[in-house]
Amino acid sequence: MTGNMTGGLDESVRTHLAKLFTLIHTLDDLDVAELARAEMPRLISALKLVLDAHEPDEYGHCRQCQPGKRRHRLPFEPCRAYDSAQRFLAVERGLPQMLVQAQQAAFAEHRPRHALH
């Protein structure tokens, strides 16, 4: 979806995430812990809602990424939402640094102006 289709909602979400990213890298540890206590439940709930919307059907196909009545005949493609969640949350494979680099790249263009100074 684009910002036009959502009335600026996409830009609002990206701006909020960029602010959080900036804050966790600039605040002291106690303030980051307080921010995490406030924001983590919201972020977890948002991610769960996205994943619930992308729940696979009986053939393992995502209802959102591969809509249609004949999904079982389509070649299997992993759901983008589940694939992204798996890649970024798979800490046991040593991905935290990859996550930080990806976040930096993804939010670079959406950082609030004050975060650039």
Side-chain angles (χ1 to χ4, degrees), residues 19-77:
K19 286 178 184 177
L20 290 175
F21 183 79
T22 299
L23 288 171
I24 64 169
H25 287 87
T26 57
L27 295 174
D28 63 42
D29 289 346
L30 290 176
D31 288 337
V32 168
E34 187 176 329
L35 178 65
R37 280 190 199 97
E39 291 292 331
M40 286 299 292
R42 295 173 56 197
L43 292 170
I44 291 167
S45 294
L47 179 59
K48 286 175 73 174
L49 285 171
V50 169
L51 293 178
D52 286 349
H54 287 263
E55 186 174 352
D57 65 11
E58 63 274 14
Y59 302 104
H61 294 280
C62 176
R63 299 170 198 269
Q64 296 294 322
C65 296
Q66 295 182 329
K69 294 182 180 180
R70 299 181 185 252
R71 284 187 293 270
H72 65 282
R73 294 185 181 173
L74 295 173
F76 182 78
E77 292 181 28

Side-chain angles (χ1 to χ4, degrees), residues 40 47 51 82-93 95-96 99:
M40 286 299 292
L47 179 59
L51 293 178
Y82 272 92
D83 184 53
S84 294
Q86 177 63 35
R87 282 188 294 119
F88 287 103
L89 298 175
V91 178
E92 71 276 3
R93 292 188 296 179
L95 296 180
L99 173 61

